[in-house]
Coordinates of all heavy atoms in Angstrom, one line a residue:
P235 N 11.1 7.6 22.6 CA 11.4 6.2 22.1 C 11.3 6.2 20.6 O 10.4 6.9 20.0 CB 10.4 5.4 22.7 CG 9.6 6.2 23.7 CD 9.9 7.6 23.4
L236 N 12.1 5.4 19.9 CA 12.1 5.3 18.5 C 11.6 3.9 18.1 O 12.0 2.9 18.7 CB 13.5 5.5 18.0 CG 13.7 5.6 16.5 CD1 13.0 6.8 15.9 CD2 15.2 5.8 16.2
I237 N 10.7 3.8 17.2 CA 10.1 2.5 16.8 C 10.2 2.3 15.3 O 9.8 3.2 14.5 CB 8.6 2.4 17.2 CG1 8.4 2.7 18.7 CG2 8.0 1.1 16.8 CD1 7.0 2.9 19.2
A238 N 10.9 1.2 14.9 CA 11.1 0.9 13.5 C 9.9 0.1 13.0 O 9.5 -0.9 13.6 CB 12.3 0.1 13.2
V239 N 9.3 0.5 11.8 CA 8.1 -0.1 11.4 C 8.3 -0.7 9.9 O 9.0 -0.1 9.1 CB 6.9 0.9 11.4 CG1 5.7 0.4 10.7 CG2 6.6 1.3 12.8
N240 N 7.6 -1.8 9.7 CA 7.6 -2.4 8.4 C 6.5 -1.7 7.5 O 5.3 -1.7 7.9 CB 7.3 -3.9 8.5 CG 7.4 -4.6 7.2 OD1 6.8 -4.2 6.2 ND2 8.1 -5.7 7.2
H241 N 6.9 -1.1 6.4 CA 5.9 -0.4 5.5 C 4.7 -1.3 5.2 O 3.6 -0.9 5.1 CB 6.7 0.0 4.3 CG 5.9 0.8 3.3 ND1 5.6 2.1 3.4 CD2 5.3 0.4 2.2 CE1 4.9 2.5 2.4 NE2 4.6 1.5 1.6
L242 N 5.0 -2.6 4.9 CA 3.9 -3.5 4.5 C 2.9 -3.8 5.6 O 1.7 -4.0 5.4 CB 4.5 -4.8 3.9 CG 5.3 -4.6 2.7 CD1 5.8 -6.0 2.1 CD2 4.5 -3.9 1.6
E243 N 3.5 -3.8 6.8 CA 2.6 -4.0 8.0 C 1.7 -2.8 8.1 O 0.5 -2.9 8.5 CB 3.4 -4.2 9.3 CG 2.6 -4.7 10.4 CD 3.4 -5.1 11.7 OE1 4.7 -4.9 11.7 OE2 2.8 -5.6 12.6
G244 N 2.2 -1.6 7.7 CA 1.4 -0.4 7.7 C 0.2 -0.6 6.8 O -0.9 -0.4 7.1
H245 N 0.5 -1.0 5.5 CA -0.6 -1.2 4.6 C -1.6 -2.2 5.1 O -2.8 -2.0 5.0 CB -0.1 -1.7 3.2 CG 0.4 -0.6 2.3 ND1 -0.3 0.6 2.1 CD2 1.6 -0.4 1.7 CE1 0.4 1.4 1.3 NE2 1.6 0.8 1.0
L246 N -1.1 -3.3 5.7 CA -1.9 -4.4 6.1 C -2.9 -3.9 7.2 O -4.1 -4.3 7.3 CB -1.0 -5.5 6.7 CG -1.7 -6.8 6.9 CD1 -2.0 -7.5 5.6 CD2 -0.8 -7.7 7.7
L247 N -2.4 -3.1 8.2 CA -3.2 -2.7 9.3 C -4.0 -1.4 9.1 O -4.7 -0.9 10.0 CB -2.4 -2.6 10.6 CG -1.6 -3.9 11.0 CD1 -1.0 -3.7 12.3 CD2 -2.6 -5.1 11.1
S248 N -3.8 -0.8 7.9 CA -4.4 0.6 7.7 C -5.9 0.6 7.8 O -6.5 1.6 8.1 CB -3.9 1.2 6.4 OG -4.1 0.3 5.4
F249 N -6.5 -0.6 7.7 CA -8.0 -0.6 7.8 C -8.4 -0.3 9.2 O -9.6 0.1 9.5 CB -8.5 -2.0 7.4 CG -8.3 -3.1 8.5 CD1 -9.3 -3.4 9.4 CD2 -7.0 -3.7 8.7 CE1 -9.1 -4.4 10.4 CE2 -6.8 -4.6 9.7 CZ -7.8 -5.0 10.5
L250 N -7.5 -0.3 10.2 CA -7.9 0.0 11.6 C -7.9 1.5 11.9 O -8.5 1.9 12.9 CB -6.8 -0.7 12.6 CG -6.9 -2.2 12.7 CD1 -5.6 -2.6 13.5 CD2 -8.1 -2.6 13.5
L251 N -7.3 2.3 11.0 CA -7.2 3.7 11.2 C -8.6 4.4 11.1 O -9.4 4.1 10.2 CB -6.3 4.4 10.2 CG -4.8 4.2 10.4 CD1 -4.0 4.5 9.2 CD2 -4.3 5.0 11.6
E252 N -8.9 5.4 12.0 CA -10.1 6.1 11.9 C -9.9 7.6 11.9 O -9.0 8.1 12.6 CB -11.0 5.8 13.2 CG -11.3 4.3 13.4 CD -11.5 4.0 14.9 OE1 -11.0 4.8 15.7 OE2 -12.2 3.1 15.1
P253 N -10.7 8.3 11.1 CA -10.7 9.8 11.2 C -11.2 10.2 12.6 O -11.9 9.5 13.3 CB -11.6 10.2 10.1 CG -12.1 9.0 9.4 CD -11.7 7.8 10.2
K254 N -10.8 11.5 13.0 CA -11.2 12.0 14.3 C -12.7 12.0 14.6 O -13.1 11.8 15.7 CB -10.7 13.4 14.4 CG -9.6 13.6 15.5 CD -9.3 15.0 15.8 CE -8.8 15.8 14.6 NZ -8.2 17.1 14.9
T255 N -13.4 12.2 13.5 CA -14.9 12.3 13.6 C -15.6 11.0 13.9 O -16.7 10.9 14.3 CB -15.5 12.9 12.3 OG1 -14.9 12.2 11.2 CG2 -15.3 14.4 12.2
I256 N -14.9 9.9 13.6 CA -15.5 8.6 13.8 C -14.9 7.9 15.0 O -13.7 8.0 15.2 CB -15.2 7.6 12.6 CG1 -15.6 8.3 11.3 CG2 -15.8 6.3 12.7 CD1 -17.0 8.2 10.9

Side-chain angles (χ1 to χ4, degrees):
L236 190 60
I237 302 169
V239 171
N240 185 313
H241 182 81
L242 296 182
E243 193 173 2
H245 278 309
L246 191 73
L247 300 186
S248 53
F249 77 98
L250 288 168
L251 285 164
E252 299 155 335
K254 243 192 300 192
T255 44
I256 306 281

